[in-house]
Amino acid sequence: MTQVAGSRVESAAAATPAERTARRKAVLEWIGVHALGVAAALFFVLPFVFVVFTSLMSDQQALTRDLVPDTWQWDNYRRVFDTPGFLTWWRNTLLYAGAGTVLTVVSSVPVAYALAKFRFRGRNLSLMLVISMMMLPPQVVIIPMYLFWAKQMDLSGSLWPLIIPMAFGDAFSIFLLRQFLMTIPNEYLDSARVDGCGEFRALIRVVLPMAKPGIAAVALFQFFNAWNDYFGPQIYASENPGAWTLSYGLESFKGAHHTDWNLTMAATVLVMAPVILVFFFAQKAFVEGVTLTGVKG
């Protein structure tokens, strides 16, 4: 032990001034980078911590400057679930986000596959149309779409005007999947065709297993978009409280409990929790899918 310590001292003493400066600079850079990382993490985490702490306060303490609850009011979450309509909003949101995600993925994958792997006249024009649809704000077409669904189809007061169009593809999902499928080598498809696979079978057996990260990214994007959607339910379902989603119902909940900020924050936590859990367990596939979409195109 004495010999090892002595050798380290001798090596440190033998270091040149340039080496000591370089080591000191490396240590300072390490401290600076990690300090910025901790600061950025606190910047994003502290608002969520504030919401959670406020949701566990009493009615009186929620209106004060206190940051930590004096007594932990876990009963606030039960009171939120007892609010009339809250479970219905939860069920409607799961239906909207779940069905919408499945329909978007199922309808967008074949279109993206055709744009990525088929050579046909008008392919570039079709891709330009998809990109142009991404640039079109939904507010531009909301009036004719509402007239169609409400007057012609008589589906106002429900979520079906938001769910049914997802069965016909989504421009952003098609473009994202197309970019990802471009990274899959054509040799795999050629080998499948030589073995007798048709295009549909090659899509199911070859492309889909290799495109899982891209599909996961599209599914997460669509799920988050539907779960947090406020504009769509406000337009089509506002007249029927039985068709409200969590995002729209939370606004009315806050209006009904404008002084009970602890209950409002508890409802906010319950709305955010599923999204956070889904992203936490699927973040690897999400990051991989988003990263690889821009490799080739």
Side-chain angles (χ1 to χ4, degrees):
M1 292 293 292
T2 304
Q3 294 178 352
V4 173
S7 62
R8 290 180 178 176
V9 172
E10 291 176 358
S11 60
T16 63
E19 292 176 344
R20 289 196 295 269
T21 302
R23 292 176 183 176
R24 190 180 302 110
K25 183 179 179 181
V27 172
L28 291 176
E29 289 179 353
W30 184 90
I31 295 175
V33 170
H34 286 76
L36 290 176
V38 171
L42 291 176
F43 179 79
F44 289 103
V45 171
L46 286 179
F48 180 74
V49 173
F50 171 78
V51 171
V52 173
F53 280 0
T54 305
S55 70
L56 296 172
M57 292 181 180
S58 61
D59 298 344
Q60 295 76 18
Q61 189 184 8
L63 299 176
T64 65
R65 297 182 179 181
D66 295 341
L67 298 178
V68 180
D70 294 334
T71 57
W72 301 84
Q73 302 289 333
W74 296 101
D75 188 61
N76 291 341
Y77 290 94
R78 183 190 61 79
R79 295 170 62 187
V80 170
F81 275 107
D82 290 340
T83 300
F86 188 81
L87 292 179
T88 301
W89 305 341
W90 193 283
R91 181 195 62 199
N92 293 337
T93 305
L94 287 176
L95 172 64
Y96 178 26
T101 300
V102 173
L103 290 175
T104 298
V105 171
V106 171
S107 59
S108 298
V109 167
V111 180
Y113 175 66
L115 292 176
K117 298 301 181 183
F118 290 176
R119 299 291 184 269
F120 57 91
R121 182 178 299 177
R123 188 182 74 158
N124 293 332
L125 177 61
S126 300
L127 180 60
M128 292 301 298
L129 289 176
V130 171
I131 296 175
S132 64
M133 291 301 296
M134 293 170 53
M135 301 178 181
L136 187 65
Q139 291 81 4
V140 174
V141 297
I142 190 61
I143 294 179
M145 291 297 295
Y146 179 80
L147 293 176
F148 172 77
W149 290 110
K151 303 301 181 182
Q152 302 297 325
M153 305 301 294
D154 195 23
L155 289 176
S156 61
S158 69
L159 295 175
W160 292 113
L162 300 173
I163 297 176
I164 294 176
M166 297 181 186
F168 299 95
D170 173 71
F172 176 75
S173 301
I174 292 172
F175 178 77
L176 195 67
L177 282 171
R178 184 259 181 188
Q179 294 299 104
F180 186 89
L181 295 180
M182 290 289 290
T183 65
I184 298 178
N186 293 329
E187 287 75 8
Y188 290 103
L189 296 174
D190 294 337
S191 299
R193 296 186 185 106
V194 170
D195 292 338
C197 288
E199 294 298 336
F200 181 76
R201 189 177 179 184
L203 172 63
I204 299 297
R205 295 293 183 89
V206 179
V207 175
L208 291 186
M210 300 179 67
K212 286 181 179 179
I215 295 174
V218 167
L220 287 175
F221 272 124
Q222 185 59 43
F223 182 85
F224 294 159
N225 181 65
W227 187 274
N228 297 319
D229 186 19
Y230 178 84
F231 180 74
Q234 182 188 31
I235 297 298
Y236 293 106
S238 59
E239 63 189 67
N240 179 18
W244 288 0
T245 59
L246 284 172
S247 58
Y248 188 73
L250 182 62
E251 181 66 24
S252 64
F253 185 93
K254 188 173 65 174
H257 301 277
H258 59 281
T259 56
D260 297 334
W261 287 105
N262 55 337
L263 298 185
T264 302
M265 294 300 181
T268 303
V269 171
L270 292 175
V271 172
M272 294 190 301
V275 176
I276 295 174
L277 290 175
V278 169
F279 182 77
F280 178 80
F281 288 105
Q283 59 178 325
K284 182 179 179 180
F286 177 78
V287 173
E288 183 179 356
V290 173
T291 303
L292 295 178
T293 50
V295 173
K296 184 177 180 180

